[in-house]
Amino acid sequence: MKSTLMTPDRIVAAVRQQQQRFQRLSDATLRDHTDELRRLRKSQHRHNRSISSGWQRWKRPDAAEPMIEAHGLMAEALRRTTGKLYYDVQLQAGWILAAGSIAEMQTGEGKTITTGLPAFWQALAGRGCHVSTVNDYLARRDFETLQPTFELLGVGVGRIDSEMSLAEKRQAYRCEVTYGPGFEFGFDFLRDQIALRSAPRPRLGMRHLAHLRGQSIDKPHSLIGRPLACAVIDEADSVLIDEANTPLILSGQEHAMRQASSDPEAYRVADILAQELQPEEDFSLDPVDRKISFTPTGWFRIHEHFAKANPLRLARAWSCYVENALRARQIFRRDVDYVVRDGEIQIVDQNTGRIHPERSWRNGLHQAVQTKERVAVVPEQQTQARITRQRFIGQYDSICGLTGTAQAAARELKDFYRLSVVSVPTHRPCHRFGLPSRHFSNLQTKHASIVAEIRARHANGGPMLVGTRTIAESRTLSAALHNCGIPHRTLNGIQDEAEADLIAIAGQPGAITIATNMAGRGTDIALTDASRARGGLHVIATEHHPCARVDRQLIGRAARQGDPGSYQFFVSAEDEIFQHAPQLAESISARCSGAPEAQHDFSTEIARLQNDLENQAYQRRTQLTRADQWLDRVLETVAKEAV
């Protein structure tokens, strides 16, 4: 018997047919069709029919029919408001997302308008849909792109950001579709948990009486959002995996806590002592795990120094202040872990290379770094609420997401989030090719070779993107190019309109752009015909990231949408990744044997190292999840015993 399952080709053909039918209808009639679908979706929810129960379910024609109509409506509304038409691969990806899976969609394939398809479908259920991006700028850009499309169909759409008032946020959350950065959705959830925790509890029996009377006991009016129903997550692997080890922490300063805060002089005294302590004699340093351990001699010196110092008001043990000061001096590096900007310490996200002014380290570490850099020391922030990212994402009834590098993380996405990964073909064939990696014994030789390569390629007039792992390295290369008189642009780690404009013109003939790996991510690098004729964008990767997916995201900036493009890695035995494999670093140095460059390809060994590091990171995230589950069981037991 011939299968009647909805294959990707059948799905696309059916959506196209619906769109053609809708082309003959007025805007008002399109809204009428939206209202009919909205009633159907709400009815499905009332009867406990799953809103998105997996990719396989939506392959059945009987289940697929309403979604086909919804996607046809969205496609026609997009055409009327923007003049754009969905590619077949975008319709396929939208279907995968609406079915509750992860779509692996390559960079440059038009993710912004693709997210509109699942957002519209989920919004029809009437419970709200969050479209989560990695920062404020991308949320605003995507919102402004699709706002007219949603509004034509009568769907309310809003946006949140970190600068909005609570009243503005409440209004945005009441919309059927809400755009915003993922971390802000999480922080608003924590704010609501604090409000619920602070609200007076109803007296015993009041809920039962209200139920008998057909009434309800309202939740506090101070709540910002509403129950978490559905999230469409952009850059899903980065959000769900790379940032999973970093919990969302809401901090603040309460009056009672300020009374017990540390004396600012304590940080200065600890910093002076940290500069006097000697490695090995007073402390040992583990650069891989970024840990410091005191020797018996070190412990004696710490307490002896404290006994002789003037009385200090402390919020924790004195040894913690000294350890923080040592970490600030010995481990945390300027323009790598943080930058100093406008008299403030601003943290650099090690996964993305982006700068986050709103973040701060806890337990006095931020103040230790401020003391080291001689900037104003601000009072410590007190943790008011926190939640792991896995736990927060688990609060949603359904999630889906898209990214260009999902298959490598398919096991973890399945284990932690029960999400399947479905790959989507590119709209046009990919013409990206890689040049052999080059390996050097030290950073100085590597940087000199990168500058020489840039100089040679610049003479040909092709555009180049130089991707660095740290801001410090981008500044080093920028200074070297400046000394050679080679014009270029350097991007910092804050993504805003200015950075997006710069990255968008990085495909012009002769353009040289130096940026951290993730700078400008989400913005297409458009090529001119002249750039295509010169081979397209060439990406120079100055260092391997511990996570191979980040490397693939960087080289994916080249050769988008059928354009030509190329990439090449430059590797030094002194690169940070080799702190995890010193023997491999020694092998690279030995192969150079006095020559500036090794005549051997270490790509296989580096790929094996990255795989080992990713497995270690997976184990850490697994342990974090198990600890969270254990805490859940403990709290549940305590709650039962309290009844």
Side-chain angles (χ1 to χ4, degrees):
M1 181 177 177
K2 189 175 181 180
S3 173
T4 59
L5 290 178
M6 298 296 292
T7 64
D9 289 341
R10 288 177 178 173
I11 290 168
V12 170
V15 173
R16 297 281 189 217
Q17 187 176 14
Q18 285 289 345
Q19 182 184 0
Q20 289 177 1
R21 181 169 71 91
F22 291 136
Q23 285 180 1
R24 300 188 294 269
L25 306 180
S26 66
D27 291 354
T29 307
L30 292 187
R31 285 190 287 273
D32 290 340
H33 278 277
T34 299
D35 289 339
E36 291 177 11
L37 279 175
R38 188 182 280 115
R39 285 190 289 270
L40 173 63
R41 294 284 285 144
K42 289 181 178 180
S43 174
Q44 288 177 337
H45 176 61
R46 283 195 300 271
H47 291 87
N48 294 321
R49 292 179 61 182
S50 175
I51 288 181
S52 58
S53 56
W55 167 239
Q56 296 299 326
R57 159 178 158 77
W58 297 106
K59 287 184 177 181
R60 300 203 311 266
D62 59 328
E65 186 175 344
M67 195 188 294
I68 289 172
E69 184 174 355
H71 285 198
L73 277 170
M74 189 68 185
E76 175 56 18
L78 181 76
R79 185 190 67 82
R80 295 187 186 188
T81 54
T82 69
K84 296 179 180 179
L85 296 175
Y86 280 111
Y87 298 142
D88 289 357
V89 294
Q90 290 172 320
L91 292 176
Q92 291 177 26
W95 189 272
I96 293 165
L97 295 169
S101 296
I102 298 290
E104 184 179 63
M105 192 177 186
Q106 298 304 312
T107 53
E109 293 294 302
K111 296 186 183 72
T112 296
I113 61 174
T114 300
T115 58
L117 294 166
F120 176 61
W121 172 248
Q122 298 290 3
L124 294 174
R127 301 187 306 143
C129 176
H130 295 169
V131 182
S132 172
T133 65
V134 295
N135 57 42
D136 287 332
Y137 162 69
L138 290 176
R140 182 169 64 255
R141 184 201 67 180
D142 294 357
F143 163 77
E144 291 173 351
T145 299
L146 287 177
Q147 181 183 14
T149 305
F150 283 118
E151 290 179 346
L152 184 145
L153 295 172
V155 173
V157 58
R159 178 183 65 85
I160 64 165
D161 65 37
S162 53
E163 301 298 323
M164 283 184 172
S165 67
L166 295 183
E168 290 173 319
K169 282 187 173 181
R170 289 190 188 99
Q171 183 177 357
Y173 277 119
R174 297 303 177 266
C175 295
E176 292 170 290
V177 177
T178 306
Y179 282 81
F183 58 83
E184 199 63 26
F185 287 125
F187 288 141
D188 285 342
F189 172 80
L190 290 178
R191 293 182 181 104
D192 281 350
Q193 296 306 300
I194 292 174
L196 288 170
R197 190 172 60 202
S198 304
R201 300 181 64 180
R203 295 194 305 274
L204 185 65
M206 291 299 294
R207 291 187 183 277
H208 182 62
L209 287 174
H211 177 71
L212 292 176
R213 295 168 179 164
Q215 301 171 344
S216 64
I217 298 180
D218 293 331
K219 294 180 179 179
H221 295 294
S222 59
L223 293 186
I224 305 170
R226 52 177 171 168
L228 303 177
C230 172
V232 181
I233 303 172
D234 191 17
E235 308 294 0
D237 58 335
S238 177
V239 173
L240 299 178
I241 295 177
D242 297 333
E243 298 181 2
N245 285 340
T246 307
L248 293 165
I249 300 174
L250 190 64
S251 301
Q253 296 177 22
E254 298 179 5
H255 178 73
M257 292 180 174
R258 285 200 298 268
Q259 300 303 317
S261 62
S262 302
D263 188 335
E265 181 68 9
Y267 306 114
R268 191 185 69 82
V269 174
D271 183 63
I272 293 173
L273 176 57
Q275 296 177 67
E276 297 174 356
L277 296 177
Q278 299 300 313
E280 304 304 329
E281 180 182 344
D282 296 316
F283 66 91
S284 60
L285 173 64
D286 183 347
V288 175
D289 292 332
R290 298 166 71 90
K291 292 182 179 179
I292 286 176
S293 301
F294 293 115
T295 65
T297 303
W299 279 110
F300 177 79
R301 292 193 63 185
I302 289 171
H303 293 294
E304 181 185 43
H305 191 278
F306 182 71
K308 294 179 180 179
N310 293 327
L312 299 170
R313 186 177 68 251
L314 305 180
R316 60 187 62 84
W318 171 241
S319 60
C320 294
Y321 288 83
V322 181
E323 181 179 346
N324 279 338
L326 274 174
R327 292 181 69 195
R329 289 280 175 183
Q330 301 289 335
I331 296 176
F332 284 74
R333 294 168 293 168
R334 183 170 179 167
D335 293 336
V336 176
D337 299 289
Y338 64 91
V339 296
V340 180
R341 177 175 291 169
D342 300 328
E344 296 180 349
I345 301 298
Q346 298 182 356
I347 296 176
V348 177
D349 189 303
Q350 295 304 296
N351 291 313
T352 66
R354 294 192 180 105
I355 299 170
H356 289 270
E358 79 284 355
R359 294 184 184 179
S360 62
W361 290 299
R362 296 184 300 141
N363 299 326
L365 178 58
H366 204 84
Q367 286 67 29
V369 176
Q370 289 172 330
T371 302
K372 165 194 168 183
E373 296 293 348
R374 301 294 186 262
V375 299
V377 177
V378 300
E380 293 184 30
Q381 299 285 305
Q382 303 295 332
T383 299
Q384 296 177 337
R386 61 178 288 160
I387 190 170
T388 62
R389 292 176 190 266
Q390 296 104 318
R391 186 177 173 86
F392 169 64
I393 293 297
Q395 303 298 314
Y396 285 95
D397 291 337
S398 65
I399 61 173
C400 62
L402 67 172
T403 178
T405 50
Q407 282 296 347
R411 179 185 68 162
E412 192 163 349
L413 290 168
K414 190 70 173 179
D415 290 348
F416 288 160
Y417 302 101
R418 298 187 297 278
L419 289 170
S420 299
V421 174
V422 183
S423 295
V424 180
T426 56
H427 175 54
R428 296 187 179 96
C430 180
H431 299 295
R432 183 185 307 118
F433 69 93
L435 298 174
S437 297
R438 299 176 62 182
H439 303 82
F440 305 88
S441 60
N442 56 67
L443 286 172
Q444 184 177 0
T445 306
K446 181 182 76 170
H447 289 159
S449 298
I450 291 173
V451 172
E453 179 72 13
I454 292 172
R455 184 197 294 270
R457 286 186 169 272
H458 185 57
N460 181 51
M464 281 174 280
L465 175 66
V466 183
T468 66
R469 196 185 64 81
T470 67
I471 294 172
E473 188 173 28
S474 69
R475 289 179 172 172
T476 297
L477 289 173
S478 176
L481 292 179
H482 180 75
N483 291 337
C484 295
I486 300 175
H488 63 281
R489 294 183 177 90
T490 302
L491 301 185
N492 59 31
I494 296 180
Q495 185 166 16
D496 54 18
E497 290 88 345
E499 180 176 294
D501 290 343
L502 285 175
I503 204 74
I505 62 174
Q508 299 292 318
I512 300 173
T513 307
I514 301 176
T516 51
N517 287 348
M518 309 288 273
R521 187 175 179 182
T523 304
D524 280 332
I525 298 179
L527 299 182
T528 65
D529 290 338
S531 295
R532 293 187 184 93
R534 290 170 171 81
L537 181 69
H538 180 67
V539 174
I540 294 177
T542 67
E543 186 175 349
H544 279 287
H545 194 278
C547 177
R549 283 183 291 104
V550 176
D551 285 347
R552 288 194 289 274
Q553 288 158 359
L554 172 61
I555 65 178
R557 306 307 299 270
R560 294 186 175 199
Q561 297 189 8
D563 283 334
S566 56
Y567 66 90
Q568 187 172 32
F569 281 90
F570 284 70
V571 181
S572 158
E574 295 178 347
D575 289 347
E576 187 166 320
I577 189 174
F578 297 119
Q579 289 183 355
H580 302 275
Q583 291 181 339
L584 181 53
E586 292 173 3
S587 297
I588 295 175
S589 297
R591 284 283 185 168
C592 291
S593 61
E597 185 174 351
Q599 301 302 312
H600 178 78
D601 188 4
F602 289 89
S603 298
T604 301
E605 292 90 335
I606 292 173
R608 190 180 301 121
L609 171 60
Q610 288 177 313
N611 186 62
D612 291 343
L613 294 176
E614 288 170 11
N615 283 333
Q616 293 173 22
Y618 172 77
Q619 294 302 325
R620 287 194 296 271
R621 289 188 288 269
T622 300
Q623 292 171 3
L624 183 65
T625 301
R626 288 174 179 169
D628 217 32
Q629 292 170 345
W630 173 83
L631 181 60
D632 270 349
R633 291 193 295 270
V634 170
L635 293 175
E636 184 178 351
T637 301
V638 171
K640 287 180 179 178
E641 292 178 352
V643 175

